[in-house]
Amino acid sequence: MSVQIGNIELGEFPLLLAPMEDVSDPPFRYVCKQNGADMMYTEFISSEGLIRDAAKSRQKLDIFEYERPIGIQIFGSDIEHMREATEIASQVNPDLIDINYGCPVKNVACRGAGASLLQDIDKMVAMTKAVVEATHLPVTVKTRLGWDDNTKNVYEVAERLQDVGIKALTIHGRTRSQMYKGFADWTLIREIKKNPGIKIPIFGNGDIDSPQKAAAWRMEYGVDGMMIGRAAIGYPWIFREIKHFFNTGEFLEKPTIAERVDVCRTHLEKSIEWKGPKTGVFEMRRHYSNYFKGIDHFKEYRMKLVTASTFEEINEILFEVADNYSAEMA
């Protein structure tokens, strides 16, 4: 059975790329899509920024045909502004609109947005209803288990948000107070999935970082699909590795150094294409250590990569990395 969100067909057990601030931009999404991500989201976009026409928020609306299906994720604390932001985001023709009720960081949650709305479910429901009514697109939600251990209210949230028209729900298995610490607990996610009243797809998120864990949790928690975030940073191969394991029960070979260099170079090229040479090179710097994580004595190359200022220089260093390490590992 294919998982469906509105009229979007996602296949039997979709793997979604999480919306991550300063990470899930078009260049990063490109390499994840190439490696098997079934659906992706933009970085979260402030409703206030969209209404004020702030350049940074506007740029986050950039989506490309090859990325489909893709959702635009918005967040905010004012219901009317969320309605307006939904209308603006719908105009660039994404496949769906996603509402962020999960972001735990201070400058979002302490301003009444993101995970903060887990403290006021009535407002969350009213906001969701306003967003659903403001667009012709399917609306989905990403949230957490609750604000803290004493208020794990996502079971009620799931029912009430489904009632006002959301088409899918992604749940991160932590509370807001946990931030990203400790372990994700998917037991409540399983209970929601088992609730006979819940008809929409339920996606699990949090701590999926290997094919065997993905396979074990798929069986154990019965979700309709999984959203992967931090494990994909610098390692977009996670999607194809999980799919291969699902299909064959075998592990795919890890990417070679040459493949890592190749995908890193593609990411850089897309970054420059999208943001221009200066910003494209600068914004790529945060990714190098992740692409080459676990490689011995890489520090010297990393320093070169993060100080190089042109595509040509970086390309030269990447060739050197491929040559030196491939020879060592042969």
Side-chain angles (χ1 to χ4, degrees):
M1 282 264 298
S2 179
V3 173
Q4 226 170 332
I5 299 178
N7 56 2
I8 307 165
E9 291 275 351
L10 290 174
E12 191 189 334
F13 190 86
L15 300 177
L16 318 182
L17 173 67
M20 294 176 282
E21 177 67 352
D22 289 333
V23 176
S24 302
D25 59 8
F28 178 70
R29 298 197 302 258
Y30 182 86
V31 294
C32 288
K33 185 73 177 180
Q34 288 218 304
N35 282 282
D38 293 303
M39 187 160 84
M40 308 185 292
Y41 299 82
T42 60
E43 298 170 77
F44 62 49
I45 307 176
S46 153
S47 55
E48 307 298 324
L50 282 183
I51 292 167
R52 289 198 315 272
D53 209 14
K56 193 174 180 205
S57 298
R58 277 284 170 174
Q59 191 174 35
K60 287 181 183 176
L61 288 176
D62 285 358
I63 54 175
F64 298 91
E65 279 307 307
Y66 63 75
E67 300 187 278
R68 296 189 183 281
I70 181 144
I72 288 177
Q73 193 190 63
I74 56 174
F75 74 97
S77 59
D78 181 287
I79 293 174
E80 195 44 49
H81 290 173
M82 283 289 278
R83 184 197 300 275
E84 283 178 56
T86 302
E87 288 170 359
I88 295 166
S90 299
Q91 285 165 13
V92 303
N93 199 24
D95 296 284
L96 58 86
I97 301 289
D98 188 76
I99 311 173
N100 179 319
Y101 292 138
C103 180
V105 300
K106 266 203 174 102
N107 64 358
V108 174
C110 295
R111 290 184 184 162
S116 168
L117 285 134
L118 285 161
Q119 298 175 104
D120 187 347
I121 305 230
D122 289 346
K123 182 178 177 183
M124 184 197 269
V125 172
M127 183 179 281
T128 306
K129 187 170 188 286
V131 168
V132 169
E133 287 169 355
T135 183
H136 62 289
L137 298 165
V139 173
T140 61
V141 161
K142 179 165 192 266
T143 189
R144 289 185 166 230
L145 302 177
W147 180 256
D148 56 26
D149 278 349
N150 304 319
T151 55
K152 288 185 180 172
N153 46 17
V154 70
Y155 195 91
E156 177 195 345
V157 164
E159 291 186 329
R160 293 184 63 186
L161 295 189
Q162 178 179 265
D163 287 348
V164 292
I166 70 165
K167 298 292 185 236
L169 177 65
T170 300
I171 304 162
H172 181 102
R174 287 179 173 84
T175 60
R176 187 272 165 178
S177 61
Q178 269 183 282
M179 303 294 283
Y180 293 99
K181 298 188 187 80
F183 297 102
D185 175 7
W186 286 37
T187 47
L188 251 179
I189 305 176
R190 177 174 53 207
E191 282 176 39
I192 290 164
K193 184 58 211 162
K194 282 184 168 171
N195 176 350
I198 293 290
K199 308 291 184 215
I200 58 173
I202 301 294
F203 302 120
N205 171 232
D207 292 356
I208 294 295
D209 55 10
S210 69
Q212 57 273 53
K213 189 185 277 187
W217 287 20
R218 178 182 181 177
M219 294 294 291
E220 191 176 342
Y221 298 109
V223 289
D224 295 293
M226 289 172 174
M227 182 181 277
I228 296 168
R230 288 171 294 164
I233 299 175
Y235 203 82
W237 302 278
I238 184 91
F239 298 100
R240 73 172 192 192
E241 286 181 7
I242 290 173
K243 286 181 166 179
H244 185 80
F245 192 74
F246 283 169
N247 292 333
T248 66
E250 291 167 5
F251 292 105
L252 203 55
E253 289 284 316
K254 292 281 178 200
T256 60
I257 297 292
E259 271 187 286
R260 292 195 201 198
V261 165
D262 250 8
V263 172
C264 182
R265 184 185 290 115
T266 300
H267 192 161
L268 172 65
E269 285 168 353
K270 289 286 171 193
S271 190
I272 289 169
E273 247 172 62
W274 183 53
K275 286 270 179 93
K278 196 175 173 196
T279 311
V281 164
F282 178 73
E283 295 206 342
M284 191 62 197
R285 288 176 179 170
R286 64 173 79 109
H287 292 285
Y288 296 123
S289 57
N290 290 307
Y291 270 113
F292 301 104
K293 200 187 256 171
I295 296 176
D296 291 342
H297 315 302
F298 194 75
K299 191 174 177 190
E300 184 193 332
Y301 280 117
R302 190 177 66 79
M303 293 314 294
K304 284 183 182 177
L305 286 166
V306 298
T307 49
S309 56
T310 67
F311 173 73
E312 290 70 26
E313 277 177 82
I314 297 166
N315 204 17
E316 197 69 27
I317 300 161
L318 289 173
F319 273 123
E320 206 180 307
V321 168
D323 276 356
N324 286 357
Y325 283 95
S326 300
E328 262 180 48
M329 292 179 165

